[in-house]
Amino acid sequence: MLMVTLILACEIGFWVVLGAGLVGSAGTVHGLAAVYLGVSVAFGHSMMRWADQRFAHRFAGGPPPVKPPKSGSARVRYEWREWGKFMLAYAIACGVMALLIFVVSTPEHTAALWRDTIPTLSVVAGIWLLWPLSATVKKSGPAAS
């Protein structure tokens, strides 16, 4: 019961701080908060499963953690699924930032979002795309002559 209370208190605190942030100019910290929210939603379940498996194995005699596939179609599916999770995080983060830009509605007070955070996150999305593309190319091999 104590753990549930602590989790609820932290969650409420997070939303209070996030709401309080809407009072001032939207800066890089607001952009990072939006990214944190997106990543938490998109990757939260898989991050908790990853941590639970390692904790159970290390401290509770559980089976070894499941590792991602090394090659083949399974690896391609894994990489595209992970990139898809990032794109969900990206969409949530950009949606929250767009909402902040709309709410604040003065370009000089939201410049850090549309000039810095969103473009940087877009570069990360482009770089991350290289992994599923390379896994797909590697699986398909050289073209037949």
Side-chain angles (χ1 to χ4, degrees):
M1 185 62 181
L2 176 65
M3 185 60 76
V4 171
T5 305
L6 182 63
I7 290 171
L8 285 174
C10 289
E11 190 68 25
I12 290 168
F14 169 77
W15 287 105
V16 167
V17 170
L18 187 66
L22 292 174
V23 177
S25 295
T28 304
V29 172
H30 295 85
L32 289 175
V35 172
Y36 174 79
L37 179 63
V39 169
S40 295
V41 170
F43 288 95
H45 182 73
S46 58
M47 286 191 298
M48 293 309 298
R49 185 175 51 243
W50 179 90
D52 285 345
Q53 288 176 354
R54 276 144 188 83
F55 185 88
H57 177 65
R58 169 93 180 182
F59 298 108
V66 176
K67 295 185 178 185
K70 292 197 181 289
S71 61
S73 297
R75 181 62 183 206
V76 171
R77 280 191 304 277
Y78 171 80
E79 292 296 344
W80 281 108
R81 185 174 52 249
E82 293 301 303
W83 188 74
K85 288 181 202 175
F86 178 77
M87 292 311 295
L88 175 61
Y90 177 86
I92 292 168
C94 288
V96 168
M97 286 185 277
L99 180 65
L100 284 172
I101 290 167
F102 176 75
V103 168
V104 175
S105 72
T106 51
E108 62 273 2
H109 289 187
T110 58
L113 299 179
W114 55 266
R115 195 172 47 211
D116 298 332
T117 309
I118 292 173
T120 301
L121 199 55
S122 300
V123 169
V124 171
I127 292 170
W128 196 318
L129 179 60
L130 297 176
W131 271 262
L133 287 175
S134 67
T136 302
V137 169
K138 186 189 278 188
K139 186 208 174 288
S140 63
S145 305

